[in-house]
Amino acid sequence: MNLKRSSALVGVVALGAMTLAACGSDNNTASTTSASGGASAAAASTASCDGKSNLSGAGSSAQKNAMDAFTAAYISACQAKGKTVNVAYNPSGSGDGRTQFIAKQIDFAGSDSAIKDQQATDAKARCAGNDAWNLPLVFGPVALAFNVDGVDKLVLNGETAAKIFNGTIKKWNDPAIAALNSGAKLPDTDITVFFRSDSSGTTDNFQQYLAAASNGAWAADATGSDFKGNVGQGAKGSAGVAQGVSSTPGSIAYVEKSFADQNKLKSAQIDNGSGPVELTTASATKSIESAKFKTEGSKDLALDLKATYASKEAGAYPLILATYEVVCSKGYDADTSAAVKSFLTSAANEGQSTLEESGYIPLPDAFKKTVVASIDAIS
């Protein structure tokens, strides 16, 4: 299934009302909905507000700001129906979220890569013998955020990015970088790489991109949720790596656009073979439109992004990720099942209304229908 985007999508609005909390954490405080916005969301809400009042989730820090928006919309909607609810979400990293979900410590996991292989098998036990489903509720482009004195515009391709992140390219004025940036005053300074020190779906997606787009500069098997570059400085969470780049001249990191925006970081353009492409909503959407599900017709909506990462489509920004909510298809107790369905239904509908303000890309209408159908099928 191709993900078709409506023409209503406009440029990303710069994130203003979200602030970072403690250094090195992902304790971002999301902007709360205005009184009029909250009332509108509540009036149009699809949330039943059934089931238990308190849900718990953990995992992807990439979706933390989106989760704040989802929770605010859900709380507002249920308050209008006379019910007090809350969703406690800990942005502990995708790997930790999946681990906690399998161990029944949380109701759902946020993950930037689909649960699979042995973890999917283990999740069946947690779900009383039933499959866990991957439901993509947030799309976000990943920025190659950089902080280089005197350089406002930077172009990289898959090969140069791979060689930077595996330590083969060590200086900003390396001939391979210079060849992509004619006329730029690249300094003769060392490159400082920041990477996620925690197990991260963002890392998984980024390394899959490098493996697909680097002409062999990144090993095909150097993927997964832990960084395999053997170079650089680790930092905890998306906020940690963004803060590292912000405070370190000569540095670069892979980080979700929302966190790059928060820290006012510059993002490299990517040339996958059809010319440099700036990171914008429109260019990321062009890539999302070509993404396909791994299994057509399944209620498990894991995506196959390898072809997207390797695409040479003009004007398409290839480095994107889909971040999932990992849930039990069946096997919850009745109160948990009802609450999970209510919250996710709200998130897939009115919860999407403010995501562009946070640097995300709301669900395309046709894709939203597919997600809601899977949510409705949870039992």
PDB file of all heavy atoms in Angstrom, residues 322-338:
ATOM      1  N   ALA A 322       9.185   5.936  10.826  1.00  0.00           N
ATOM      2  CA  ALA A 322       7.835   5.775  11.357  1.00  0.00           C
ATOM      3  C   ALA A 322       7.990   5.282  12.777  1.00  0.00           C
ATOM      4  O   ALA A 322       8.750   4.350  13.044  1.00  0.00           O
ATOM      5  CB  ALA A 322       7.049   4.769  10.531  1.00  0.00           C
ATOM      6  N   THR A 323       7.316   5.926  13.697  1.00  0.00           N
ATOM      7  CA  THR A 323       7.402   5.475  15.077  1.00  0.00           C
ATOM      8  C   THR A 323       6.074   4.842  15.474  1.00  0.00           C
ATOM      9  O   THR A 323       5.006   5.360  15.179  1.00  0.00           O
ATOM     10  CB  THR A 323       7.826   6.614  16.016  1.00  0.00           C
ATOM     11  OG1 THR A 323       7.932   6.138  17.354  1.00  0.00           O
ATOM     12  CG2 THR A 323       6.894   7.787  15.962  1.00  0.00           C
ATOM     13  N   TYR A 324       6.172   3.682  16.080  1.00  0.00           N
ATOM     14  CA  TYR A 324       5.022   2.806  16.311  1.00  0.00           C
ATOM     15  C   TYR A 324       4.574   2.815  17.773  1.00  0.00           C
ATOM     16  O   TYR A 324       5.373   3.080  18.680  1.00  0.00           O
ATOM     17  CB  TYR A 324       5.381   1.356  15.976  1.00  0.00           C
ATOM     18  CG  TYR A 324       5.857   1.093  14.571  1.00  0.00           C
ATOM     19  CD1 TYR A 324       7.213   1.172  14.245  1.00  0.00           C
ATOM     20  CD2 TYR A 324       4.960   0.737  13.568  1.00  0.00           C
ATOM     21  CE1 TYR A 324       7.656   0.908  12.955  1.00  0.00           C
ATOM     22  CE2 TYR A 324       5.398   0.468  12.273  1.00  0.00           C
ATOM     23  CZ  TYR A 324       6.740   0.557  11.971  1.00  0.00           C
ATOM     24  OH  TYR A 324       7.179   0.297  10.699  1.00  0.00           O
ATOM     25  N   GLU A 325       3.300   2.454  17.962  1.00  0.00           N
ATOM     26  CA  GLU A 325       2.857   1.983  19.272  1.00  0.00           C
ATOM     27  C   GLU A 325       2.751   0.460  19.145  1.00  0.00           C
ATOM     28  O   GLU A 325       2.073  -0.046  18.236  1.00  0.00           O
ATOM     29  CB  GLU A 325       1.506   2.571  19.669  1.00  0.00           C
ATOM     30  CG  GLU A 325       1.384   4.078  19.508  1.00  0.00           C
ATOM     31  CD  GLU A 325       2.569   4.875  20.000  1.00  0.00           C
ATOM     32  OE1 GLU A 325       3.164   4.508  21.038  1.00  0.00           O
ATOM     33  OE2 GLU A 325       2.919   5.867  19.343  1.00  0.00           O
ATOM     34  N   VAL A 326       3.434  -0.242  20.011  1.00  0.00           N
ATOM     35  CA  VAL A 326       3.403  -1.705  20.022  1.00  0.00           C
ATOM     36  C   VAL A 326       2.370  -2.134  21.059  1.00  0.00           C
ATOM     37  O   VAL A 326       2.475  -1.789  22.241  1.00  0.00           O
ATOM     38  CB  VAL A 326       4.780  -2.295  20.363  1.00  0.00           C
ATOM     39  CG1 VAL A 326       4.723  -3.815  20.363  1.00  0.00           C
ATOM     40  CG2 VAL A 326       5.831  -1.794  19.369  1.00  0.00           C
ATOM     41  N   VAL A 327       1.356  -2.885  20.604  1.00  0.00           N
ATOM     42  CA  VAL A 327       0.231  -3.255  21.461  1.00  0.00           C
ATOM     43  C   VAL A 327      -0.094  -4.734  21.264  1.00  0.00           C
ATOM     44  O   VAL A 327       0.297  -5.349  20.269  1.00  0.00           O
ATOM     45  CB  VAL A 327      -1.025  -2.417  21.131  1.00  0.00           C
ATOM     46  CG1 VAL A 327      -0.753  -0.937  21.351  1.00  0.00           C
ATOM     47  CG2 VAL A 327      -1.499  -2.665  19.696  1.00  0.00           C
ATOM     48  N   CYS A 328      -0.844  -5.280  22.201  1.00  0.00           N
ATOM     49  CA  CYS A 328      -1.354  -6.638  22.041  1.00  0.00           C
ATOM     50  C   CYS A 328      -2.565  -6.607  21.122  1.00  0.00           C
ATOM     51  O   CYS A 328      -3.475  -5.793  21.302  1.00  0.00           O
ATOM     52  CB  CYS A 328      -1.776  -7.217  23.389  1.00  0.00           C
ATOM     53  SG  CYS A 328      -0.411  -7.609  24.506  1.00  0.00           S
ATOM     54  N   SER A 329      -2.596  -7.504  20.143  1.00  0.00           N
ATOM     55  CA  SER A 329      -3.793  -7.620  19.304  1.00  0.00           C
ATOM     56  C   SER A 329      -4.958  -8.166  20.125  1.00  0.00           C
ATOM     57  O   SER A 329      -6.108  -7.755  19.960  1.00  0.00           O
ATOM     58  CB  SER A 329      -3.514  -8.525  18.113  1.00  0.00           C
ATOM     59  OG  SER A 329      -3.123  -9.826  18.541  1.00  0.00           O
ATOM     60  N   LYS A 330      -4.651  -9.106  21.014  1.00  0.00           N
ATOM     61  CA  LYS A 330      -5.587  -9.656  21.989  1.00  0.00           C
ATOM     62  C   LYS A 330      -4.778  -9.980  23.240  1.00  0.00           C
ATOM     63  O   LYS A 330      -3.553 -10.034  23.204  1.00  0.00           O
ATOM     64  CB  LYS A 330      -6.237 -10.943  21.471  1.00  0.00           C
ATOM     65  CG  LYS A 330      -7.097 -10.783  20.241  1.00  0.00           C
ATOM     66  CD  LYS A 330      -7.671 -12.134  19.817  1.00  0.00           C
ATOM     67  CE  LYS A 330      -8.517 -12.007  18.564  1.00  0.00           C
ATOM     68  NZ  LYS A 330      -9.050 -13.335  18.131  1.00  0.00           N
ATOM     69  N   GLY A 331      -5.472 -10.224  24.346  1.00  0.00           N
ATOM     70  CA  GLY A 331      -4.778 -10.675  25.539  1.00  0.00           C
ATOM     71  C   GLY A 331      -4.750  -9.695  26.681  1.00  0.00           C
ATOM     72  O   GLY A 331      -4.339 -10.040  27.791  1.00  0.00           O
ATOM     73  N   TYR A 332      -5.158  -8.448  26.460  1.00  0.00           N
ATOM     74  CA  TYR A 332      -5.318  -7.513  27.565  1.00  0.00           C
ATOM     75  C   TYR A 332      -6.536  -7.909  28.406  1.00  0.00           C
ATOM     76  O   TYR A 332      -7.469  -8.559  27.909  1.00  0.00           O
ATOM     77  CB  TYR A 332      -5.572  -6.097  27.045  1.00  0.00           C
ATOM     78  CG  TYR A 332      -4.414  -5.386  26.389  1.00  0.00           C
ATOM     79  CD1 TYR A 332      -4.520  -4.964  25.064  1.00  0.00           C
ATOM     80  CD2 TYR A 332      -3.253  -5.088  27.092  1.00  0.00           C
ATOM     81  CE1 TYR A 332      -3.488  -4.269  24.452  1.00  0.00           C
ATOM     82  CE2 TYR A 332      -2.211  -4.389  26.491  1.00  0.00           C
ATOM     83  CZ  TYR A 332      -2.324  -3.983  25.173  1.00  0.00           C
ATOM     84  OH  TYR A 332      -1.303  -3.302  24.569  1.00  0.00           O
ATOM     85  N   ASP A 333      -6.576  -7.471  29.672  1.00  0.00           N
ATOM     86  CA  ASP A 333      -7.834  -7.551  30.404  1.00  0.00           C
ATOM     87  C   ASP A 333      -8.790  -6.523  29.808  1.00  0.00           C
ATOM     88  O   ASP A 333      -8.382  -5.609  29.072  1.00  0.00           O
ATOM     89  CB  ASP A 333      -7.616  -7.301  31.897  1.00  0.00           C
ATOM     90  CG  ASP A 333      -7.082  -5.905  32.179  1.00  0.00           C
ATOM     91  OD1 ASP A 333      -7.874  -4.950  32.200  1.00  0.00           O
ATOM     92  OD2 ASP A 333      -5.854  -5.773  32.365  1.00  0.00           O
ATOM     93  N   ALA A 334     -10.078  -6.650  30.101  1.00  0.00           N
ATOM     94  CA  ALA A 334     -11.102  -5.837  29.444  1.00  0.00           C
ATOM     95  C   ALA A 334     -10.889  -4.345  29.666  1.00  0.00           C
ATOM     96  O   ALA A 334     -11.033  -3.537  28.731  1.00  0.00           O
ATOM     97  CB  ALA A 334     -12.489  -6.254  29.932  1.00  0.00           C
ATOM     98  N   ASP A 335     -10.542  -3.940  30.874  1.00  0.00           N
ATOM     99  CA  ASP A 335     -10.351  -2.513  31.175  1.00  0.00           C
ATOM    100  C   ASP A 335      -9.159  -1.930  30.428  1.00  0.00           C
ATOM    101  O   ASP A 335      -9.216  -0.805  29.918  1.00  0.00           O
ATOM    102  CB  ASP A 335     -10.162  -2.300  32.682  1.00  0.00           C
ATOM    103  CG  ASP A 335     -11.479  -2.218  33.426  1.00  0.00           C
ATOM    104  OD1 ASP A 335     -12.539  -2.145  32.754  1.00  0.00           O
ATOM    105  OD2 ASP A 335     -11.456  -2.228  34.663  1.00  0.00           O
ATOM    106  N   THR A 336      -8.078  -2.704  30.353  1.00  0.00           N
ATOM    107  CA  THR A 336      -6.892  -2.225  29.640  1.00  0.00           C
ATOM    108  C   THR A 336      -7.155  -2.151  28.146  1.00  0.00           C
ATOM    109  O   THR A 336      -6.792  -1.175  27.476  1.00  0.00           O
ATOM    110  CB  THR A 336      -5.683  -3.131  29.925  1.00  0.00           C
ATOM    111  OG1 THR A 336      -5.420  -3.146  31.331  1.00  0.00           O
ATOM    112  CG2 THR A 336      -4.441  -2.632  29.198  1.00  0.00           C
ATOM    113  N   SER A 337      -7.780  -3.177  27.599  1.00  0.00           N
ATOM    114  CA  SER A 337      -8.089  -3.190  26.174  1.00  0.00           C
ATOM    115  C   SER A 337      -8.933  -1.983  25.784  1.00  0.00           C
ATOM    116  O   SER A 337      -8.641  -1.294  24.795  1.00  0.00           O
ATOM    117  CB  SER A 337      -8.831  -4.478  25.812  1.00  0.00           C
ATOM    118  OG  SER A 337      -9.185  -4.489  24.447  1.00  0.00           O
ATOM    119  N   ALA A 338      -9.970  -1.693  26.559  1.00  0.00           N
ATOM    120  CA  ALA A 338     -10.848  -0.563  26.253  1.00  0.00           C
ATOM    121  C   ALA A 338     -10.091   0.756  26.318  1.00  0.00           C
ATOM    122  O   ALA A 338     -10.275   1.637  25.468  1.00  0.00           O
ATOM    123  CB  ALA A 338     -12.028  -0.547  27.218  1.00  0.00           C
TER     124      ALA A 338
END
